[in-house]
Amino acid sequence: MTISRASVLVVDDEFLVAEGLCMQVEEMGHSVCGTAATADEAILLAQEHRPSVVLMDMRLRGEKDGVDAALAIYSTVRSRVIFVTGSKEQATIDRIELDHPAGMLFKPVSSHQLRSAIEFAITEGPWNDSAES
């Protein structure tokens, strides 16, 4: 099965982590439509670019976290959200699961893990149900 090229939004408040994820995504043949360090930036970029997939960190700059951003993005844009987090605390995992994520990865993320999660999100994405003409 050939996986189509996806547009990916990377949301992480750590610049080096975001850059590393961008490089991995591009090496897989997908495009990065933007990066954000806050929930509000992520929501605006998602509404502007309508990415297929969002790689979302849980802890972001500002008052809102990754779940706040993911819920807003999914409800308005319907992008699939893959959480990429450094926290394995049960409270964090429970909060992430409120969003029904397309995937959850724990940092550090290998290229294989990221590729599998993105491929799953692409093939299971809601945009496949009603393709645009």
Side-chain angles (χ1 to χ4, degrees), residues 6-8 16-17 19 33 37-38 43 48-49 51 57 68 71 76-77 80 82 88 91-92 95 110 117-118 122 125:
S7 172
V8 179
L16 292 177
V17 172
E19 286 299 303
C33 65
T38 69
I43 294 163
E48 179 181 345
H49 297 287
D57 188 20
D68 296 323
L71 289 169
T76 60
V77 181
R80 298 291 296 221
I82 300 168
K88 292 187 180 181
T92 299
R95 180 130 166 80
S110 73
I118 290 173
I122 292 168

mmCIF file of all heavy atoms in Angstrom, residues 6-8 16-17 19 33 37-38 43 48-49 51 57 68 71 76-77 80 82 88 91-92 95 110 117-118 122 125:
data_model
loop_
_atom_site.group_PDB
_atom_site.id
_atom_site.type_symbol
_atom_site.label_atom_id
_atom_site.label_comp_id
_atom_site.label_asym_id
_atom_site.label_seq_id
_atom_site.Cartn_x
_atom_site.Cartn_y
_atom_site.Cartn_z
ATOM 1 N N ALA A 6 1.616 13.575 3.203
ATOM 2 C CA ALA A 6 0.755 14.270 4.155
ATOM 3 C C ALA A 6 1.316 15.641 4.490
ATOM 4 O O ALA A 6 2.518 15.866 4.445
ATOM 5 C CB ALA A 6 0.620 13.449 5.435
ATOM 6 N N SER A 7 0.416 16.528 4.856
ATOM 7 C CA SER A 7 0.793 17.825 5.389
ATOM 8 C C SER A 7 0.752 17.686 6.909
ATOM 9 O O SER A 7 -0.248 17.234 7.473
ATOM 10 C CB SER A 7 -0.216 18.870 4.923
ATOM 11 O OG SER A 7 0.016 20.094 5.575
ATOM 12 N N VAL A 8 1.853 18.065 7.570
ATOM 13 C CA VAL A 8 1.987 17.852 9.012
ATOM 14 C C VAL A 8 2.292 19.172 9.710
ATOM 15 O O VAL A 8 3.170 19.925 9.292
ATOM 16 C CB VAL A 8 3.115 16.825 9.310
ATOM 17 C CG1 VAL A 8 3.275 16.604 10.806
ATOM 18 C CG2 VAL A 8 2.846 15.506 8.588
ATOM 19 N N LEU A 16 14.424 22.670 19.594
ATOM 20 C CA LEU A 16 15.225 21.578 19.044
ATOM 21 C C LEU A 16 14.393 20.320 18.819
ATOM 22 O O LEU A 16 14.605 19.598 17.835
ATOM 23 C CB LEU A 16 16.416 21.273 19.945
ATOM 24 C CG LEU A 16 17.488 22.366 19.992
ATOM 25 C CD1 LEU A 16 18.598 21.989 20.976
ATOM 26 C CD2 LEU A 16 18.058 22.628 18.612
ATOM 27 N N VAL A 17 13.446 20.050 19.693
ATOM 28 C CA VAL A 17 12.561 18.898 19.514
ATOM 29 C C VAL A 17 11.695 19.108 18.272
ATOM 30 O O VAL A 17 11.551 18.212 17.435
ATOM 31 C CB VAL A 17 11.688 18.663 20.765
ATOM 32 C CG1 VAL A 17 10.633 17.594 20.510
ATOM 33 C CG2 VAL A 17 12.553 18.283 21.958
ATOM 34 N N GLU A 19 12.315 20.997 15.669
ATOM 35 C CA GLU A 19 13.154 20.902 14.475
ATOM 36 C C GLU A 19 13.483 19.451 14.141
ATOM 37 O O GLU A 19 13.491 19.059 12.975
ATOM 38 C CB GLU A 19 14.441 21.717 14.651
ATOM 39 C CG GLU A 19 14.217 23.204 14.551
ATOM 40 C CD GLU A 19 13.659 23.629 13.206
ATOM 41 O OE1 GLU A 19 14.284 23.335 12.170
ATOM 42 O OE2 GLU A 19 12.587 24.257 13.189
ATOM 43 N N CYS A 33 3.803 21.936 7.330
ATOM 44 C CA CYS A 33 3.129 23.189 6.977
ATOM 45 C C CYS A 33 3.401 24.291 7.988
ATOM 46 O O CYS A 33 3.098 25.446 7.734
ATOM 47 C CB CYS A 33 1.624 22.966 6.818
ATOM 48 S SG CYS A 33 0.774 22.492 8.335
ATOM 49 N N ALA A 37 4.536 26.814 19.121
ATOM 50 C CA ALA A 37 4.999 26.569 20.483
ATOM 51 C C ALA A 37 3.889 26.777 21.515
ATOM 52 O O ALA A 37 4.065 26.471 22.684
ATOM 53 C CB ALA A 37 6.179 27.480 20.810
ATOM 54 N N THR A 38 2.736 27.321 21.063
ATOM 55 C CA THR A 38 1.605 27.536 21.970
ATOM 56 C C THR A 38 0.349 26.933 21.353
ATOM 57 O O THR A 38 0.276 26.707 20.136
ATOM 58 C CB THR A 38 1.337 29.037 22.215
ATOM 59 O OG1 THR A 38 0.839 29.629 21.011
ATOM 60 C CG2 THR A 38 2.578 29.775 22.704
ATOM 61 N N ILE A 43 -3.605 26.300 16.850
ATOM 62 C CA ILE A 43 -4.984 26.378 16.355
ATOM 63 C C ILE A 43 -5.048 27.266 15.105
ATOM 64 O O ILE A 43 -5.655 26.904 14.100
ATOM 65 C CB ILE A 43 -5.936 26.883 17.457
ATOM 66 C CG1 ILE A 43 -6.022 25.853 18.592
ATOM 67 C CG2 ILE A 43 -7.319 27.190 16.897
ATOM 68 C CD1 ILE A 43 -6.595 26.393 19.895
ATOM 69 N N GLU A 48 -5.424 27.679 9.195
ATOM 70 C CA GLU A 48 -4.889 28.259 7.961
ATOM 71 C C GLU A 48 -4.461 27.184 6.963
ATOM 72 O O GLU A 48 -4.743 27.275 5.775
ATOM 73 C CB GLU A 48 -3.694 29.160 8.289
ATOM 74 C CG GLU A 48 -3.054 29.794 7.081
ATOM 75 C CD GLU A 48 -1.861 30.664 7.445
ATOM 76 O OE1 GLU A 48 -1.683 31.021 8.623
ATOM 77 O OE2 GLU A 48 -1.087 30.990 6.518
ATOM 78 N N HIS A 49 -3.755 26.142 7.448
ATOM 79 C CA HIS A 49 -3.143 25.164 6.552
ATOM 80 C C HIS A 49 -3.906 23.840 6.432
ATOM 81 O O HIS A 49 -3.616 23.073 5.517
ATOM 82 C CB HIS A 49 -1.708 24.866 7.000
ATOM 83 C CG HIS A 49 -0.810 26.056 6.926
ATOM 84 N ND1 HIS A 49 -0.345 26.561 5.733
ATOM 85 C CD2 HIS A 49 -0.301 26.853 7.904
ATOM 86 C CE1 HIS A 49 0.425 27.607 5.974
ATOM 87 N NE2 HIS A 49 0.459 27.814 7.278
ATOM 88 N N PRO A 51 -3.820 20.836 8.076
ATOM 89 C CA PRO A 51 -2.926 19.684 7.928
ATOM 90 C C PRO A 51 -3.674 18.355 8.076
ATOM 91 O O PRO A 51 -4.705 18.276 8.755
ATOM 92 C CB PRO A 51 -1.928 19.867 9.072
ATOM 93 C CG PRO A 51 -2.697 20.609 10.120
ATOM 94 C CD PRO A 51 -3.588 21.557 9.332
ATOM 95 N N ASP A 57 2.707 18.151 21.227
ATOM 96 C CA ASP A 57 3.281 17.979 22.564
ATOM 97 C C ASP A 57 2.199 18.291 23.590
ATOM 98 O O ASP A 57 1.280 19.076 23.310
ATOM 99 C CB ASP A 57 4.476 18.921 22.744
ATOM 100 C CG ASP A 57 5.252 18.676 24.027
ATOM 101 O OD1 ASP A 57 5.149 17.579 24.608
ATOM 102 O OD2 ASP A 57 5.980 19.593 24.446
ATOM 103 N N ASP A 68 -5.984 20.978 24.958
ATOM 104 C CA ASP A 68 -6.821 22.130 24.602
ATOM 105 C C ASP A 68 -6.703 22.422 23.107
ATOM 106 O O ASP A 68 -7.702 22.610 22.415
ATOM 107 C CB ASP A 68 -6.407 23.377 25.401
ATOM 108 C CG ASP A 68 -6.620 23.228 26.897
ATOM 109 O OD1 ASP A 68 -7.616 22.604 27.307
ATOM 110 O OD2 ASP A 68 -5.775 23.743 27.660
ATOM 111 N N LEU A 71 -8.236 19.447 20.872
ATOM 112 C CA LEU A 71 -9.701 19.445 20.833
ATOM 113 C C LEU A 71 -10.220 20.531 19.892
ATOM 114 O O LEU A 71 -11.128 20.290 19.093
ATOM 115 C CB LEU A 71 -10.278 19.630 22.241
ATOM 116 C CG LEU A 71 -10.117 18.438 23.184
ATOM 117 C CD1 LEU A 71 -10.467 18.829 24.619
ATOM 118 C CD2 LEU A 71 -10.952 17.249 22.730
ATOM 119 N N THR A 76 -12.595 21.844 14.583
ATOM 120 C CA THR A 76 -12.742 22.811 13.487
ATOM 121 C C THR A 76 -12.140 22.339 12.172
ATOM 122 O O THR A 76 -12.662 22.643 11.108
ATOM 123 C CB THR A 76 -12.120 24.175 13.853
ATOM 124 O OG1 THR A 76 -10.731 23.994 14.127
ATOM 125 C CG2 THR A 76 -12.812 24.795 15.049
ATOM 126 N N VAL A 77 -11.030 21.624 12.233
ATOM 127 C CA VAL A 77 -10.292 21.257 11.030
ATOM 128 C C VAL A 77 -10.377 19.761 10.732
ATOM 129 O O VAL A 77 -10.234 19.341 9.599
ATOM 130 C CB VAL A 77 -8.809 21.695 11.155
ATOM 131 C CG1 VAL A 77 -8.019 21.363 9.911
ATOM 132 C CG2 VAL A 77 -8.704 23.174 11.453
ATOM 133 N N ARG A 80 -6.016 14.789 12.182
ATOM 134 C CA ARG A 80 -5.710 13.715 13.121
ATOM 135 C C ARG A 80 -4.545 14.170 13.989
ATOM 136 O O ARG A 80 -3.572 14.729 13.490
ATOM 137 C CB ARG A 80 -5.348 12.441 12.364
ATOM 138 C CG ARG A 80 -6.470 11.908 11.482
ATOM 139 C CD ARG A 80 -7.617 11.379 12.300
ATOM 140 N NE ARG A 80 -7.152 10.256 13.066
ATOM 141 C CZ ARG A 80 -7.816 9.137 13.264
ATOM 142 N NH1 ARG A 80 -8.991 8.985 12.757
ATOM 143 N NH2 ARG A 80 -7.306 8.161 13.980
ATOM 144 N N ILE A 82 -1.552 13.281 16.719
ATOM 145 C CA ILE A 82 -0.676 12.308 17.361
ATOM 146 C C ILE A 82 0.050 13.052 18.473
ATOM 147 O O ILE A 82 0.757 14.033 18.213
ATOM 148 C CB ILE A 82 0.360 11.741 16.372
ATOM 149 C CG1 ILE A 82 -0.341 11.034 15.204
ATOM 150 C CG2 ILE A 82 1.329 10.801 17.085
ATOM 151 C CD1 ILE A 82 0.577 10.697 14.050
ATOM 152 N N LYS A 88 5.056 10.263 31.196
ATOM 153 C CA LYS A 88 4.341 8.989 31.294
ATOM 154 C C LYS A 88 3.455 8.970 32.542
ATOM 155 O O LYS A 88 2.996 7.908 32.971
ATOM 156 C CB LYS A 88 5.323 7.823 31.306
ATOM 157 C CG LYS A 88 6.026 7.649 29.973
ATOM 158 C CD LYS A 88 6.867 6.409 29.936
ATOM 159 C CE LYS A 88 7.540 6.282 28.583
ATOM 160 N NZ LYS A 88 8.367 5.088 28.477
ATOM 161 N N ALA A 91 -1.926 10.846 34.984
ATOM 162 C CA ALA A 91 -2.825 11.997 34.827
ATOM 163 C C ALA A 91 -2.669 12.618 33.437
ATOM 164 O O ALA A 91 -3.655 13.018 32.813
ATOM 165 C CB ALA A 91 -2.544 13.039 35.906
ATOM 166 N N THR A 92 -1.438 12.672 32.934
ATOM 167 C CA THR A 92 -1.188 13.209 31.598
ATOM 168 C C THR A 92 -1.792 12.295 30.539
ATOM 169 O O THR A 92 -2.468 12.753 29.611
ATOM 170 C CB THR A 92 0.332 13.367 31.351
ATOM 171 O OG1 THR A 92 0.850 14.281 32.319
ATOM 172 C CG2 THR A 92 0.622 13.875 29.956
ATOM 173 N N ARG A 95 -5.515 12.622 30.464
ATOM 174 C CA ARG A 95 -5.932 13.875 29.819
ATOM 175 C C ARG A 95 -5.809 13.762 28.298
ATOM 176 O O ARG A 95 -6.689 14.189 27.573
ATOM 177 C CB ARG A 95 -5.096 15.037 30.353
ATOM 178 C CG ARG A 95 -5.460 16.372 29.736
ATOM 179 C CD ARG A 95 -5.679 17.437 30.758
ATOM 180 N NE ARG A 95 -5.693 18.750 30.154
ATOM 181 C CZ ARG A 95 -6.743 19.275 29.518
ATOM 182 N NH1 ARG A 95 -7.857 18.600 29.441
ATOM 183 N NH2 ARG A 95 -6.674 20.478 28.991
ATOM 184 N N SER A 110 11.532 7.362 17.873
ATOM 185 C CA SER A 110 12.343 6.854 16.762
ATOM 186 C C SER A 110 11.641 7.153 15.444
ATOM 187 O O SER A 110 10.422 7.359 15.399
ATOM 188 C CB SER A 110 12.555 5.341 16.896
ATOM 189 O OG SER A 110 11.358 4.647 16.593
ATOM 190 N N ALA A 117 3.106 5.801 13.163
ATOM 191 C CA ALA A 117 1.998 6.606 13.696
ATOM 192 C C ALA A 117 1.402 7.509 12.611
ATOM 193 O O ALA A 117 0.178 7.627 12.496
ATOM 194 C CB ALA A 117 2.473 7.440 14.885
ATOM 195 N N ILE A 118 2.251 8.129 11.804
ATOM 196 C CA ILE A 118 1.755 9.002 10.734
ATOM 197 C C ILE A 118 1.013 8.186 9.679
ATOM 198 O O ILE A 118 -0.065 8.569 9.233
ATOM 199 C CB ILE A 118 2.903 9.829 10.110
ATOM 200 C CG1 ILE A 118 3.396 10.876 11.120
ATOM 201 C CG2 ILE A 118 2.445 10.514 8.829
ATOM 202 C CD1 ILE A 118 4.632 11.636 10.684
ATOM 203 N N ILE A 122 -2.847 8.705 8.633
ATOM 204 C CA ILE A 122 -3.235 9.011 7.257
ATOM 205 C C ILE A 122 -4.275 8.019 6.751
ATOM 206 O O ILE A 122 -5.272 8.402 6.157
ATOM 207 C CB ILE A 122 -2.001 9.009 6.328
ATOM 208 C CG1 ILE A 122 -1.073 10.175 6.659
ATOM 209 C CG2 ILE A 122 -2.429 9.080 4.865
ATOM 210 C CD1 ILE A 122 0.279 10.079 5.992
ATOM 211 N N GLY A 125 -7.625 8.455 8.636
ATOM 212 C CA GLY A 125 -8.118 9.825 8.748
ATOM 213 C C GLY A 125 -9.507 10.020 8.187
ATOM 214 O O GLY A 125 -9.907 9.339 7.251
#
